[in-house]
Amino acid sequence: MHPRIPIRRSHSLLLATVKRENFKTCDQSGFCKRNRAYADTASSLGSSFESPYGILPDSITFKDGILQGTILKSIGNGNAAVRLPLTVTFLESGTARVTVDEEKRQKGDIELRHGSVARKERYNEAADWAIVGGLEVSSSATLSGDKEEGITKIIYGAGKKHEAVIRHKPFGIDFKRDGQTQIKFNDRGLLNVEHWRAKVEKAEGESNATPDQEDQSTWWDEVFGGNTDSKPKGPESVALDISFPGYEHVFGIPEHTGPLSLKETRGANGQFTEPYRMYNSDVFEYEMDSPMTLYGSIPFMQAHRKDSTVGVFWLNGAETWVDIIKSKASSNPLSLGIGSRTDTQTHWLSESGLLDVFVFLGPTPKDISKSYGELTGYTQLPQQFAIAYHQCRWNYVSDEDVKDVDRKFDKHRIPYDVIWLDIEYTEGKKYFTWDPLTFSDPKSMQEQLDEHDRKLVAIIDPHIKNVPDYSIVDEMKSNSFAVKNKDGNIYEGWCWPGSSYWVDCFNPAAIKWWQDLFKYSAWKDTLPNLWIWNDMNEPSVFNGPETTMPKDNLHHGNWEHRDVHNINGLTLVNATYRGLQDRSKKGNEPRRPFILTRSFYAGSQRMGAMWTGDNQAEWPHLAASIPMVLANGIAGFPFAGADVGGFFGNPSKELLTRWYQAGTFYPFFRGHAHIDTRRREPYLAGEPYTSIIASAIRLRYQLLPAWYTAFHEAATDGLPILRPQYWMFPSDERGFSIDDQFHIGSTGLLAKPVTSEGASSVDIYLADDATYYDYWDFTLHKGSSSGGSKTTVAAPLEKIPLLIRAGHIVPRRDRERRSSGLMRHDPFTLLITLDSAGSAEGTLYFDDGETLDHEAGAFVHRRFALDGAAEKLSSTDLASNAGAKTAAYVKSIKDVRVEKVILVGVPDSWREKTGVSVSEDGDKKKSRTAKLEYHTAEAGKAAWAVVRDPAVGIGREWTIDFSQS
């Protein structure tokens, strides 16, 4: 949320547009402009250009999976050289890591300008925040026996299918899989490490050009928006071109609006003219289809072509830009494009820090997701309430207002799990306080919510109000826990409270102090059902350059803010997460923390959810939310969503309804609105809208078992929860750029929400020749034998376009409850769609949805399989080993059963069946009969059958035999 709102009125909505002049273009960012110019020079010189970087051959060593050497950067017309230590590490996972540093700065052998006390080294602690595993060095990587002058080759990876071909001069690396080049470093010669150099003061009127004719105008002090960046180390950017030969599509590097398949950035044919920027910023009311930076950054990119996916992770926390160019080449100039291939060439630029890049060679999207997740951590398995529906606005005005909203949801029989408090609940915007007038009894508010197992989320931001008699700011100042300015004094800026200081969560002592603030004894009148929202953590500074803090501010260890900017938000969430963990441990059963963050970086997924920030109540923002959420998922942060209804403006009732129908598929599902908008709780929409919205929310609750199972897959294997077409069907080239429909986990559910005004149908793309069934009425949709067909699905306002692919089993809970916690012991329904062989399969994972007991075996993980030939449905255990709490948990859910089995696409031969044989725990002697009802196929719809109350335990071994009538 943001206070400065340039509002115009149009179509009865309050609309606004981002102030672009507050944010830099590449031309206004000195290092981006320099490196783009460097690329232009290299391109214009063609084959006569040679990169000035080469490895000193005698420096190369290889031992125990690690290659080391020294790159020499030729400067001064070749009369001098800068030494750049190179390390290439080959990991057991098959991933390779390339790191380039600067020797002088490693040794501290430089002088800083302006008497700065900033660290002299290049920032080398990004991995401490982003990386949590997967760094085991390969024991099998070896030097290749294939010797070649000026080349070093390393064979590595499973089956030794990977090869790194390291060219000495000019320096470059080709990464191969199965003998074919997949990724090329410095193929275009754009490697650029801006080394430290002393500033030569010029006489007035003297040119800024160096003897090498380099323009120094952006090397030193840099001015933007009235702020001067002192740049005590001068120019220090790192840049590298990374090429993907034969790959037309690249995905990832969130957060941006625009298509999932990233556009070119050098203009022409509707492409962008600016690079994709990653510089976490409070860009409220952001524009559509833009490479402009937003709130979070994950510098992880996947490239995909038919049956092959590769990726790179650029580990750097500074401001980063990425240029993308796609070039088509044909081996035969007379072939008219037939047999041509597209190469994607990317150019990565960061303002400071190390050049530190991880290379993933796949070959499948799943392989890439898992390998990246092993490094940065898998998404947190949240409490179950966190994946249900959340109700928020800026602001619920009092504790009585919260209670009233809670009662009205019940009155209108609309389920919800969480209600949220924005900043107005505090006393004068002092965090960890309650307003004594409007929230005079916060405890009773939380107690009322707890009656129906509901939660409260309160906002806590990193800016601390600078006023007298506020113990938190006093402790922050006295203990030096705040971010400092370039002079080493506490940095003062402006945010919601007015004059503010910012907690420095890079400081271990500050982290410990911050986590203690969440104790029940410290934050009075808070109960265990209160959780946290970390907003404004880019950080947002209203009077700062680009609405954030100056780059020459200093963090713990005297690292400049420029070095760590994109990591900053993660550090706040880390401190908050620790606080909630510590608070929870004081109870009998520790609970998994829930935190929502706006700013994020690689690794943030380990600690909570994110949302796409301050969107608008407009149809294009609804449409844009889908590729944005998909992009976050494939970049390793799948617990993502967008403000349902749009934060700014008043949506039409049609737009609000369609947004809820889309939002029911966001992994993070929250309605939210600005303080100046009309109230829009679902029960206020009026009929038929309220009933339609309620149905969309109920669909989320019905499918919570499937959603929780998908979250478990994400938490154990790093897989996206919402999966785009290319991820699900990596051979289907026609589907690679589709980003307006998605698959939910491994469930077989395929959704395409309506995102355009007045639409009454959608065309859903089917990648294969399988049968798909309409979720609601079992209408048949058949894919083409040649693949790549579209099917039209009716979508009147009351209907969500949702298909389920044949061959899947989806677990549901069909009983309506007020919250997910009240569903804990409800029976299950299994929805089964038969494939052409009459078979299907699916999985179910569940636990208590709250505690950490699942880590000690307190969970159920089942595989359901329908064998078409034998006509038997069975349930088997997927848990490999029992844990200390397995037996107790299984006993606690012994009465939770399957109450219904629905089978879709059953054969006509089942027409005469009236019952099935049910046996449990392999005991055929105790088999019993359950009733089966057959429903005849209607025009265009599948025949289906239902088994009512087979009464089998959801956590037990059992078989339902359909061959017995």
Side-chain angles (χ1 to χ4, degrees), residues 82-389:
V82 176
R83 297 174 65 88
L84 307 172
L86 167 71
T87 304
V88 185
T89 307
F90 300 93
L91 304 177
E92 200 63 54
S93 63
T95 299
R97 180 183 189 180
V98 179
T99 307
V100 178
D101 205 336
E102 181 179 351
E103 187 173 279
K104 263 184 174 289
R105 291 188 57 180
Q106 276 185 332
K107 296 177 177 179
D109 189 18
I110 67 170
E111 296 178 5
L112 303 183
R113 302 168 61 236
H114 310 303
S116 172
V117 297
R119 286 282 281 271
K120 295 181 177 182
E121 306 99 311
R122 288 184 173 269
Y123 182 65
N124 54 21
E125 297 178 2
D128 295 344
W129 297 100
I131 306 296
V132 293
L135 293 179
E136 295 77 16
V137 178
S138 172
S139 59
S140 60
T142 58
L143 281 166
S144 171
D146 180 15
K147 306 286 186 181
E148 189 174 340
E149 184 69 25
I151 299 287
T152 299
K153 299 180 181 180
I154 307 294
I155 308 298
Y156 68 105
K160 299 199 170 182
K161 294 182 178 181
H162 300 172
E163 182 180 19
V165 180
I166 303 171
R167 185 177 64 245
H168 299 175
K169 187 173 177 57
F171 168 73
I173 308 179
D174 291 356
F175 292 93
K176 296 184 175 184
R177 188 189 67 230
D178 296 322
Q180 186 176 13
T181 299
Q182 309 292 332
I183 298 175
K184 299 168 78 74
F185 280 13
N186 204 36
D187 183 54
R188 297 158 60 206
L190 305 186
L191 171 64
N192 188 25
V193 179
E194 293 188 316
H195 60 281
W196 178 84
R197 76 289 310 272
K199 182 179 181 182
V200 178
E201 299 297 338
K202 304 287 184 179
E204 188 174 346
E206 193 174 350
S207 170
N208 272 319
T210 67
D212 288 339
Q213 298 305 306
E214 290 183 276
D215 181 4
Q216 295 188 32
S217 62
T218 60
W219 281 14
W220 313 107
D221 303 61
E222 199 166 329
V223 178
F224 182 80
N227 177 268
T228 299
D229 177 5
S230 62
K231 297 173 69 172
K233 291 165 281 188
E236 53 174 328
S237 71
V238 292
L240 178 68
D241 60 281
I242 302 175
S243 299
F244 303 97
Y247 290 87
E248 182 174 357
H249 295 276
V250 287
F251 306 97
I253 59 169
E255 180 181 35
H256 304 93
T257 59
L260 183 66
S261 180
L262 300 173
K263 288 186 175 184
E264 295 183 66
T265 59
R266 284 292 197 153
N269 302 319
Q271 306 299 328
F272 295 142
T273 57
E274 285 284 303
Y276 285 93
R277 190 185 188 202
M278 287 178 279
Y279 186 63
N280 297 355
S281 300
D282 186 357
V283 186
F284 66 104
E285 296 164 327
Y286 47 82
E287 60 189 21
M288 297 291 91
D289 195 20
S290 170
M292 189 175 182
T293 191
L294 289 176
Y295 309 94
S297 301
I298 302 179
F300 173 47
M301 177 182 283
Q302 296 183 25
H304 184 75
R305 66 183 182 212
K306 185 176 182 180
D307 294 324
S308 181
T309 313
V310 296
V312 293
F313 172 39
W314 179 272
L315 180 55
N316 190 298
E319 178 185 353
T320 299
W321 303 74
V322 183
D323 258 324
I324 299 173
I325 299 172
K326 299 180 182 182
S327 59
K328 243 176 196 171
S330 174
S331 56
N332 180 355
L334 301 178
S335 65
L336 300 179
I338 300 172
S340 64
R341 78 169 195 182
T342 299
D343 297 340
T344 297
Q345 300 167 334
T346 65
H347 187 198
W348 298 68
L349 332 165
S350 288
E351 183 177 17
S352 64
L354 301 176
L355 193 157
D356 193 357
V357 190
F358 291 82
V359 177
F360 310 92
L361 294 181
T364 69
K366 183 174 181 178
D367 293 329
I368 299 294
S369 294
K370 189 172 179 63
S371 296
Y372 174 76
E374 287 174 354
L375 285 174
T376 64
Y378 300 143
T379 197
Q380 174 202 32
L381 180 63
Q383 292 194 52
Q384 182 171 264
F385 81 79
I387 67 172
Y389 176 62

Side-chain angles (χ1 to χ4, degrees), residues 383-413:
Q383 292 194 52
Q384 182 171 264
F385 81 79
I387 67 172
Y389 176 62
H390 301 245
Q391 181 62 43
C392 184
R393 75 172 280 109
W394 176 27
N395 203 89
Y396 289 114
V397 298
S398 67
D399 46 24
E400 285 303 319
D401 189 13
V402 169
K403 292 178 181 179
D404 183 58
V405 171
D406 178 63
R407 287 189 291 264
K408 285 178 178 173
F409 266 88
D410 288 342
K411 177 181 178 181
H412 292 270
R413 299 181 60 230

Side-chain angles (χ1 to χ4, degrees), residues 673-684:
H674 187 272
I675 196 169
D676 290 336
T677 63
R678 294 190 293 268
R679 295 286 284 253
R680 61 165 97 126
E681 288 72 28
Y683 51 78
L684 295 175

